[in-house]
C-alpha cells in the first residue's frame, strides 16, 4: 500500500512596527538590528510591515516595481485594486528584508469609518484624538486588512505568524482575533503608556504600582485611546511579551495580563578579529575628543589631558526618567571628593540630549576656530623652521646649534602672536555648548550646585543639547565613534523598560553605569555575578532612596577615577567580552519561543 507523506507546512512571519523604515526611537534599533538573525532563520518567508512616509523611506527603501507572483506580491496587488496605497520592496539595511509599507495619507478619508468600527466592535473611544493617533488608527486598519487577505488565501498552505511591536502597530490586532483570522498573534510591548506618564509624575511610582486604576489614570492623562489600544492588543494576542521583568510588572497592572515571556533586546554585534583593534579605536577617537576639550577649556585654563577621563550620558530629554538628576547629583559629590582628596585627575562629563536651541554658542564655535588657526600656524612654522634649519646645517654655514628664531619670518611671528591674543580669555568655559531657548533641569542644577567649570573643579560639564553626528562642527565624530572615545557611559535611569545606551557601550568595550530599574540592568543582574568587575555598574534604585543612590554612584565614579590606565584597559577588554551575550543570533531564540507558543495556542 502506498503511504502518503504529508508535506510539512510552510511557515511565514510578518513583523509589524511603526518604526519599520521610520526611525523614531528604540524600537527602530530592535527591529533593524534583529533583521540579519531573522532572515537567517526565515529567509524569503519573513516580511516587515510599516507605515509609508515617502521622505523618510526615500533613503532606506527600494521598491520592487514589478509585483512578483509571490503570495505577498499578490496581496499587495489586491490591496491596490481595493484602492489602498501599498508599497512593496526592500529595506536597505543589513539583511535586506522584504517590506510592505502602507500609505496612510492616501487612506485618511476612511478614518471616521474605522473609528466607528473600533467603537462598535471593541468599545475603544477615539474622540478628538491627535494627528499621530489618527495615523496609527489608519495604519493599524491597513495592516489588519492585509493580514486578513493573506490568511484567506494562504492559511491552508502555511502556518502564518504575526509579531506586533507596541500599541502604535497594533490597533488592528483585536479585529484579527475577533474575526478569527488564522494567524498566530504575538504582541510585544516596549513600555507601557501609563508607566511612562506615571513614573515621571508620581513620586514613589514603584511602591504605588500595584494600586493604580488604569482607566482612571488614562483619563487623567488624556491617553484613553492609546492605553486602550495597548490593553486590547495585550489581551487579544495569543502571546504577550515585553522586554524586561521590570516592564512585565507594569503589564500586569496596566494591561491586565502577565506576559507569557520576556524577550530581551540585542544588537547585531560585529566584533573585531584582533582584540586590540577596539582599543586602538578608543585611543583614536579619544584624541578627537581631546581636540574639542583643548579648544573649549584651554583658552580659560589648562589641565593635564593625559590624566583626563571622559564620561557621558545620552538619550531623550526625560530629566528624571533617564536619571539625569541622579547623575548630576553624583557628579557634584564626586567633584567635592576629588577636590578634598587633591586628585590630579580631571573628569569631563558630556551630557548629550535634544533640547530646543537657537544655535551653537558663538564663543564655543570661536574657540574651536581659533584652535584650528593655532594648529595651522604652528604647522606652518614647524615646516618653515625645518626647511631652513636643514639648509643651514647642510650648507655648513654654522658649526654650532643655530638660533631657531631666525628661521621664522615676520609674517608667521605676527600671525602667531595675534592668534595667541585671541585665544586666551578671562571667562569660564561655557558649560552649555548651545544657546538654549530656555533653561532646563540640567542648567538649573549646574547653576545651583555651582558646577559651572570653575578652574578648581575637578569635574567639568559639557552639556550638548543636540545629538552627536559626524557633521557636528564641535566633535566631528558620529555617535558610535564618540562613545568609543569616552571612558564611561552613565545611565542610572529611573524608568527604562530596556535601555540600549549602556548596551551600546558594552559592545564597543566601554564600561557603563546602569540601574536595577532599567531592563538592561535587571537582566545583567540575573545572568551574571561579576558584572561590576566586568565594567557594568548597577545602581540600586529599587531599595535605596535618592540620596543613598547618589552616594553609591559617587563611590563608584570615584573608584573609577582612581583606577590606573592598565586597569582601565583590562576592564575594557572584559566588558567587550560580554558582547556576544547580546547578539541577536543568541537572543532571537526568545522570539522563536514566543512564535512557537502563539502557533500552538492558535490551533483549535
Ligand atoms: C587603548 C590603547 C592604548 C592607550 C589606552 C589609553 O587601550 O590601545 O595604547 O594607552 O587606550 O587608555 P585610557 O583609558 O587612558 O584612555
Ligand atoms: C522603548 O523606547 P524608549 O526609549 O521610549 O523601547 C526601547 C526598545 O525596546 C527600550 O530600550 C526603551 O527602554 C523603551 O523606552
Amino acid at each position: 500500500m502506498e503511504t502518503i507523506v504529508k508535506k510539512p507546512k510552510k511557515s511565514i512571519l510578518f513583523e509589524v512596527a511603526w518604526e519599520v523604515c521610520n526611525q523614531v526611537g528604540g524600537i527602530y534599533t530592535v527591529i533593524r538590528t534583529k533583521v540579519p538573525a531573522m532572515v537567517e532563520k526565515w529567509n524569503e518567508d519573513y516580511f516587515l510591515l510599516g507605515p509609508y512616509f515617502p521622505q523618510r523611506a526615500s533613503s532606506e527603501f527600494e521598491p520592487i516595481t514589478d509585483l512578483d507572483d509571490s503570495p505577498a506580491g499578490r496581496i499587495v496587488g489586491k490591496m491596490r485594486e481595493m484602492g489602498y496605497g501599498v508599497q512593496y520592496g526592500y529595506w536597505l539595511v543589513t539583511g535586506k528584508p522584504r517590506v510592505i509599507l502602507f500609505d496612510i495619507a492616501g487612506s485618511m478619508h476612511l478614518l471616521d469609518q474605522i473609528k466607528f468600527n473600533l467603537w462598535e466592535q471593541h468599545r475603544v473611544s477615539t474622540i478628538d484624538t491627535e494627528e499621530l493617533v489618527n495615523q496609527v488608527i489608519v495604519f493599524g486598519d491597513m495592516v489588519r486588512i492585509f493580514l486578513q487577505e493573506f490568511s484567506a488565501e494562504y492559511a491552508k498552505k502555511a502556518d502564518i505568524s504575526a509579531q506586533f511591536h507596541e500599541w502604535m502597530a497594533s490597533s488592528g490586532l483585536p479585529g484579527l482575533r475577533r474575526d478569527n483570522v488564522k494567524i498566530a498573534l504575538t504582541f510585544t510591548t516596549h513600555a507601557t503608556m501609563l508607566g511612562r506618564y506615571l513614573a515621571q509624575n508620581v513620586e514613589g511610582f514603584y511602591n504605588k504600582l500595584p494600586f493604580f486604576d488604569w482607566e482612571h489614570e488614562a483619563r487623567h492623562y488624556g491617553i484613553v485611546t492609546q492605553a486602550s489600544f495597548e490593553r486590547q492588543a495585550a489581551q487579544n494576542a495569543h502571546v504577550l511579551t515585553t522586554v524586561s521583568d521590570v516592564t512585565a510588572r507594569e503589564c500586569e497592572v496596566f494591561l491586565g495580563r502577565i506576559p507569557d515571556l520576556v524577550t530581551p533586546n540585542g544588537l547585531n554585534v560585529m566584533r573585531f578579529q584582533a582584540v586590540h583593534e577596539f582599543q586602538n579605536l578608543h585611543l583614536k577617537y579619544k584624541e578627537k575628543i581631546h581636540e574639542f576639550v583643548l579648544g573649549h577649556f584651554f583658552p580659560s585654563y589648562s589641565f593635564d589631558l593625559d590624566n583626563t577621563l571622559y564620561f557621558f550620558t545620552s538619550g531623550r530629554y526625560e530629566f528624571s526618567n533617564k536619571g539625569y538628576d541622579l547623575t548630576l547629583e553624583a557628579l557634584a559629590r564626586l567633584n567635592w571628593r576629588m577636590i578634598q582628596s587633591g586628585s590630579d585627575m580631571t573628569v569631563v562629563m558630556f551630557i548629550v540630549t535634544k533640547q530646543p536651541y537657537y544655535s551653537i554658542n558663538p564663543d564655543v564655535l570661536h574657540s574651536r576656530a581659533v584652535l584650528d588657526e593655532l594648529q595651522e600656524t604652528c604647522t606652518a612654522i614647524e615646516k618653515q623652521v625645518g626647511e631652513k634649519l636643514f639648509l643651514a646645517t647642510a650648507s655648513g654655514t654654522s658649526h654650532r646649534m643655530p638660533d631657531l628664531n631666525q628661521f621664522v619670518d615676520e609674517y608667521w611671528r605676527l600671525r602667531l602672536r595675534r592668534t595667541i591674543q585671541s585665544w586666551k580669555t578671562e571667562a569660564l568655559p561655557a558649560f552649555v555648548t548651545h544657546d538654549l531657548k530656555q533653561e532646563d533641569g540640567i542648567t538649573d542644577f549646574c547653576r545651583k550646585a555651582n558646577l559651572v567649570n570653575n578652574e578648581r573643579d575637578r569635574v567639568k560639564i559639557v552639556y550638548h543639547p543636540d545629538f552627536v553626528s559626524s557633521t557636528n562642527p564641535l566633535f566631528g565624530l558620529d555617535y558610535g565613534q564618540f562613545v568609543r572615545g569616552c571612558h564611561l557611559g552613565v545611565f542610572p535611569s529611573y524608568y527604562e523598560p530596556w535601555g540600549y545606551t549602556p548596551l551600546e557601550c558594552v559592545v564597543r568595550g566601554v564600561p557603563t553605569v546602569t540601574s536595577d530599574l532599567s531592563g538592561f540592568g535587571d537582566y545583567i543582574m540575573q545572568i551574571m555575578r561579576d558584572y561590576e568587575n566586568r565594567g557594568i555598574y548597577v545602581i540600586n534604585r529599587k531599595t535605596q532612596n535618592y540620596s543613598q543612590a547618589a552616594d553609591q554612584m559617587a563611590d563608584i565614579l570615584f573608584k573609577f577615577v582612581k583606577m590606573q590606565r592598565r586597569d582601565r584597559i583590562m576592564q575594557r577588554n572584559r566588558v567587550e567580552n560580554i558582547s556576544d551575550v547580546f547578539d541577536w543570533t543568541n537572543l532571537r531564540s526568545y522570539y522563536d519561543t514566543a512564535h512557537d507558543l502563539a502557533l500552538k495556542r492558535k490551533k483549535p
Side-chain angles (χ1 to χ4, degrees):
M1 210 177 74
E2 196 187 340
T3 49
I4 301 168
V5 182
K6 228 176 144 192
K7 246 172 89 180
K9 247 182 160 182
K10 196 178 169 67
S11 297
I12 297 176
L13 176 68
F14 293 99
E15 187 141 9
V16 195
W18 184 253
E19 297 200 37
V20 171
C21 295
N22 175 39
Q23 181 163 20
V24 184
I27 298 173
Y28 180 88
T29 310
V30 175
I31 318 255
R32 181 179 170 157
T33 57
K34 189 155 68 66
V35 164
M38 297 306 275
V39 171
E40 193 190 1
K41 174 179 158 102
W42 295 88
N43 297 305
E44 304 275 280
D45 299 317
Y46 176 63
F47 301 88
L48 290 137
L49 311 188
Y52 180 61
F53 297 117
Q55 264 209 321
R56 294 208 167 181
S58 64
S59 57
E60 42 189 301
F61 173 71
E62 181 186 282
I64 298 173
T65 37
D66 263 349
L67 278 192
D68 54 15
D69 201 29
S70 67
R74 278 213 296 281
I75 302 302
V76 169
K78 193 166 175 191
M79 276 192 81
R80 285 182 185 166
E81 280 164 24
M82 291 159 80
Y84 290 103
V86 187
Q87 297 283 329
Y88 181 41
Y90 296 104
W91 192 3
L92 301 177
V93 296
T94 315
K96 209 178 171 193
R98 276 183 293 169
V99 289
I100 294 140
L101 303 180
F102 299 96
D103 179 2
I104 298 167
S107 292
M108 224 38 183
H109 59 282
L110 301 171
L111 180 66
D112 286 340
Q113 182 60 48
I114 304 170
K115 283 185 165 188
F116 175 78
N117 293 344
L118 284 169
W119 176 251
E120 272 278 295
Q121 295 164 2
H122 307 289
R123 286 287 176 265
V124 176
S125 161
T126 52
I127 298 165
D128 286 339
T129 41
E130 59 189 65
E131 185 51 27
L132 180 68
V133 177
N134 291 342
Q135 291 181 344
V136 161
I137 291 172
V138 173
F139 172 59
D141 203 57
M142 291 172 88
V143 168
R144 183 187 63 79
I145 292 168
F146 179 88
L147 292 176
Q148 195 164 31
E149 293 297 328
F150 194 94
S151 149
E153 283 210 27
Y154 298 103
K156 286 216 174 80
K157 294 179 216 146
D159 282 331
I160 309 167
S161 301
Q163 162 68 57
F164 293 80
H165 292 274
E166 203 85 338
W167 66 274
M168 297 181 81
S170 317
S171 63
L173 190 155
L176 291 168
R177 193 66 194 268
R178 171 186 169 271
D179 298 337
N180 209 9
V181 172
K182 300 208 163 8
I183 297 186
L185 306 167
T186 301
F187 174 64
T188 299
T189 189
H190 292 256
T192 66
M193 279 301 283
L194 284 162
R196 200 184 287 284
Y197 274 83
L198 288 159
Q200 278 189 87
N201 293 298
V202 176
E203 219 182 299
F205 164 72
Y206 291 98
N207 290 336
K208 295 177 185 157
L209 181 59
F211 311 108
F212 288 118
D213 168 357
W214 82 271
E215 213 166 355
H216 171 83
E217 300 299 341
R219 240 180 275 118
H220 178 73
Y221 290 103
I223 50 167
V224 171
T225 307
Q226 295 91 319
S228 303
F229 283 151
E230 200 170 81
R231 201 173 156 89
Q232 294 230 0
Q235 295 192 358
N236 283 287
H238 293 102
V239 168
L240 167 66
T241 90
T242 188
V243 290
S244 64
D245 282 332
V246 179
T247 313
R249 259 173 272 136
E250 288 172 44
C251 291
E252 196 178 342
V253 177
F254 299 131
L255 308 186
R257 180 172 177 185
I258 299 173
D260 299 288
L261 213 68
V262 167
T263 39
N265 284 334
L267 283 171
N268 179 21
V269 177
M270 282 182 283
R271 296 182 70 189
F272 292 103
Q273 291 289 333
V275 179
H276 62 266
E277 269 306 310
F278 85 91
Q279 294 276 1
N280 291 347
L281 288 180
H282 163 70
L283 190 60
K284 178 173 164 191
Y285 297 127
K286 185 178 78 163
E287 271 157 15
K288 292 288 280 186
I289 302 177
H290 276 344
E291 273 177 33
F292 166 79
V293 168
L294 224 151
H296 190 74
F297 287 93
F298 283 30
S300 309
Y301 50 77
S302 58
F303 44 85
D304 180 4
L305 288 182
D306 208 38
N307 278 336
T308 297
L309 297 177
Y310 298 133
F311 294 0
F312 80 103
T313 190
S314 65
R316 261 178 304 119
Y317 188 89
E318 286 180 20
F319 188 63
S320 54
N321 276 359
K322 297 283 177 198
Y324 297 154
D325 50 355
L326 189 73
T327 298
L328 288 165
E329 181 62 45
L331 286 168
R333 296 182 192 196
L334 172 70
N335 185 42
W336 187 82
R337 288 190 204 182
M338 287 176 75
I339 293 172
Q340 290 299 305
S341 67
S343 170
D344 60 352
M345 299 293 288
T346 304
V347 169
V348 179
M349 173 75 195
F350 293 93
I351 302 169
V352 177
T353 181
K354 186 116 187 112
Q355 281 285 69
Y357 61 81
Y358 295 109
S359 61
I360 297 184
N361 180 331
D363 293 339
V364 174
L365 267 182
H366 175 75
S367 32
R368 176 76 227 199
V370 179
L371 177 78
D372 292 342
E373 164 75 15
L374 198 60
Q375 203 162 30
E376 207 180 297
T377 310
C378 291
T379 311
I381 292 174
E382 180 193 340
K383 189 161 176 269
Q384 196 171 53
V385 171
E387 277 165 9
K388 290 192 180 168
L389 175 65
F390 171 67
L391 273 177
T393 338
S395 61
T397 47
S398 168
H399 296 293
R400 277 191 282 137
M401 178 66 186
D403 174 13
L404 298 183
N405 277 323
Q406 63 176 308
F407 297 138
V408 185
D409 62 32
E410 203 48 35
Y411 170 79
W412 285 111
R413 276 171 208 257
L414 251 172
R415 190 161 156 176
L416 181 64
R417 191 171 310 148
R418 267 200 226 113
T419 315
I420 292 171
Q421 266 161 13
S422 60
W423 172 240
K424 286 289 169 193
T425 169
E426 295 287 305
L428 289 180
F431 71 96
V432 195
T433 50
H434 294 54
D435 285 338
L436 287 170
K437 291 207 166 155
Q438 60 187 50
E439 297 282 296
D440 60 22
I442 297 175
T443 54
D444 277 355
F445 183 96
C446 290
R447 284 189 216 288
K448 274 190 202 133
N450 197 22
L451 206 56
V452 291
N453 295 338
N454 294 299
E455 185 169 359
R456 73 190 284 261
D457 287 333
R458 300 296 6 111
V459 175
K460 316 285 180 194
I461 303 286
V462 177
Y463 172 22
H464 186 272
D466 196 2
F467 291 137
V468 170
S469 73
S470 51
T471 51
N472 177 303
L474 298 181
F475 305 133
L477 294 171
D478 68 29
Y479 180 70
Q481 295 168 334
F482 174 76
V483 171
R484 284 190 188 278
C486 287
H487 293 93
L488 186 72
V490 183
F491 313 100
S493 298
Y494 180 71
Y495 183 82
E496 192 73 87
W498 176 256
Y500 261 115
T501 37
L503 180 50
E504 283 164 349
C505 288
V506 170
V507 300
R508 292 183 172 90
V510 176
T512 185
V513 176
T514 177
S515 84
D516 59 355
L517 290 180
S518 86
F520 170 75
D522 183 69
Y523 185 69
I524 275 290
M525 289 173 91
Q526 290 181 37
I527 62 163
M528 224 168 260
R529 276 231 209 111
D530 57 342
Y531 46 86
E532 181 150 338
N533 178 39
R534 290 176 180 232
I536 300 181
Y537 301 95
V538 187
I539 304 297
N540 171 2
R541 299 201 67 175
K542 266 188 197 156
T543 61
Q544 294 190 117
N545 66 28
Y546 182 78
S547 185
Q548 289 166 331
D551 245 342
Q552 183 196 1
M553 193 163 146
D555 283 345
I556 287 171
L557 299 181
F558 196 34
K559 217 164 118 191
F560 191 88
V561 166
K562 288 193 282 191
M563 276 167 76
Q564 299 300 309
R565 170 164 290 134
R566 210 174 124 259
D567 297 328
R568 289 200 299 270
I569 294 175
M570 283 180 348
Q571 194 184 48
R572 280 199 292 271
N573 283 339
R574 287 197 296 274
V575 78
E576 201 268 346
N577 241 313
I578 299 172
S579 303
D580 287 342
V581 172
F582 292 98
D583 195 318
W584 276 120
T585 49
N586 296 319
L587 293 184
R588 191 198 64 211
S589 64
Y590 290 95
Y591 277 92
D592 295 344
T593 309
H595 302 148
D596 290 346
L597 182 62
L599 272 172
K600 262 190 218 136
R601 288 188 178 162
K602 186 215 73 181
K603 283 189 176 147

